[in-house]
Amino acid sequence: MSNPQPRMAFRGARVLAGLALLLACAGCRQDMHVQPRYNPYDPTDFFEDGQSARLPVEGTVPRGDLKLGPNELFYTGKVDGQASESFPFPVTREILDRGRERFNIYCSPCHGFSGDGDGMIVQRGFRRPPSLHEDRLRNAPAGHFFDVITNGMGVMYPYGYRVAPPDRWAIVYYIRALQLSRQASINDLPDAEQKKLLGGTR
Amino acid sequence: MAQIFHHSTNTIARVSIYGAVIIVGLLGFALNVVNQTSYVTEVHNARPQPVPFSHKHHAGELGLDCRYCHSSVEVSSSAGMPPTQTCMTCHSQIWTNAEMLEPVRASYRDSKPISWTRVNAVPDFVYFNHSIHLAKGVGCTTCHGPVAEMNITWRAETLYMRWCLDCHTAPEKYLRPRSEVFNAYYQPPKDQLALGEKLMKEYKVQKLTACTTCHR
């Protein structure tokens, strides 16, 4: 054994290098946690407004979303610029259920679950909206409701950006159902339903 | 030549050999314990926000549906953070002078989004999609905890891979009917396993445990 000292030092260096490598790996893990890409809503200093998500150029029309011609009714609730009396598609049970669900999510906070205008936010001080059961609104064309949901009205803000057009129509169908519920007489029901109701009272 | 080491060093040598094993073991154990504390996992730590938004008030007391604000949760990977316009839908009329809400009004005035502090996030090497989880009967509160009871929002689960796999290997433990997914106060029934197995068949839920399910 001529000189064991350097070998010991070499071993010590290897251990240290190993430890350093381990630490470096811990560092890698962090790098992979945060990769050089933007997640939704991530901020950036690349754009002046600090947002990584960009807005389309003003006036951009999504493909198939042209609010003119045959699509005018579906996307605006209007026909030739006038609020439409008719719907762009026929109602089904599924559409009505969907309409109820969407109405309860987005409309009921103010309009109440039955459309009387007594929702929780109104109880907390928001200006009371008109009842959906008043004559003016019972007689309003379907396209009117679609337009109000899309663009808002009075103190009501637009909901178009979070309720897609098919859902808006489903909501309008459901509003019609709510309105009908206050006007329907027992004679409007199918025979079987009438019997069920009358059977219950006798 | 005289003895360099005293006799007692024999004992020290033996103790230190076995002691090292114990000490390393203890260190590992301590590290594991520390790793599970909220200091590391951030579970239960309320995160300070630019506006002290209370889910307890909005989702709990007022009963707003989660989707009123997180409106893309059913159709997108991201649940969707509400734009300031959504806040102003009500706060243009309610609490209009509240000091607390000044950052909201400023954001609306200046068209500058509010920089909320993120509470729940998975690492970038994890692909996560909200919409498919909801469609398969995973409720909001299953992962996000009792949000409708949180004043300042906190993370309810670690979001570690071990935690994800707990459900991915046995979804029947957590699934609920689709109609209850957004119920903020849902309580699982006593026969959860039976219900879960039934829902797995009905909703065609698979036990997805391939690496590439999440690491794409």
Side-chain angles (χ1 to χ4, degrees), chain A residues 149-172:
Chain A
I149 297 170
T150 310
N151 300 311
M153 170 172 268
V155 294
M156 174 179 160
Y157 271 38
Y159 279 74
Y161 68 93
R162 43 185 158 149
V163 186
D167 284 342
R168 279 175 242 163
W169 284 115
I171 290 173
V172 181

Side-chain angles (χ1 to χ4, degrees), chain A residues 31-105:
Chain A
D31 282 350
M32 293 302 283
H33 267 234
V34 184
Q35 294 169 17
R37 65 152 201 252
Y38 291 118
N39 290 322
Y41 307 105
D42 270 354
T44 178
D45 44 22
F46 186 77
F47 293 107
E48 214 170 286
D49 63 3
Q51 298 180 59
S52 60
R54 309 309 301 159
L55 289 169
V57 178
E58 206 160 320
T60 305
V61 179
R63 187 177 277 247
D65 215 11
L66 196 62
K67 296 178 176 65
L68 295 171
N71 289 331
E72 187 192 5
L73 173 61
F74 185 76
Y75 288 109
T76 66
K78 290 175 181 162
V79 173
D80 298 327
Q82 293 295 309
S84 164
E85 298 278 351
S86 60
F87 289 79
F89 50 82
V91 70
T92 63
R93 176 76 213 200
E94 286 71 38
I95 290 173
L96 215 48
D97 285 341
R98 176 82 180 173
R100 167 155 63 188
E101 186 190 62
R102 298 292 122 173
F103 182 91
N104 290 347
I105 297 169

Side-chain angles (χ1 to χ4, degrees), chain A residues 32-35 37 39-41 51 101-102 105-106 109 120-121 124-126 155 157-159 161-162, chain B residues 57 61-62 64-65 67-68 71 74 78 80-81 83 85-86 88-90 92-94 108 113 123-125:
Chain A
M32 293 302 283
H33 267 234
V34 184
Q35 294 169 17
R37 65 152 201 252
N39 290 322
Y41 307 105
Q51 298 180 59
E101 186 190 62
R102 298 292 122 173
I105 297 169
Y106 295 106
M120 179 56 103
I121 307 302
R124 295 300 182 105
F126 201 91
V155 294
Y157 271 38
Y159 279 74
Y161 68 93
R162 43 185 158 149
Chain B
H57 176 62
E61 291 157 10
L62 299 178
L64 292 177
D65 192 284
R67 292 163 286 184
Y68 187 85
S71 53
E74 289 169 296
S78 160
M81 283 296 283
Q85 186 172 12
T86 300
M88 293 301 282
T89 302
C90 293
S92 61
Q93 297 287 315
I94 295 182
Y108 195 63
D124 278 358
F125 50 74

Side-chain angles (χ1 to χ4, degrees), chain B residues 106-131:
Chain B
S107 157
Y108 195 63
R109 265 198 312 271
D110 308 337
S111 291
K112 265 193 85 108
I114 302 167
S115 288
W116 300 101
T117 306
R118 189 154 187 174
V119 176
N120 289 285
V122 287
D124 278 358
F125 50 74
V126 179
Y127 176 88
F128 177 81
N129 188 310
H130 273 96
S131 64

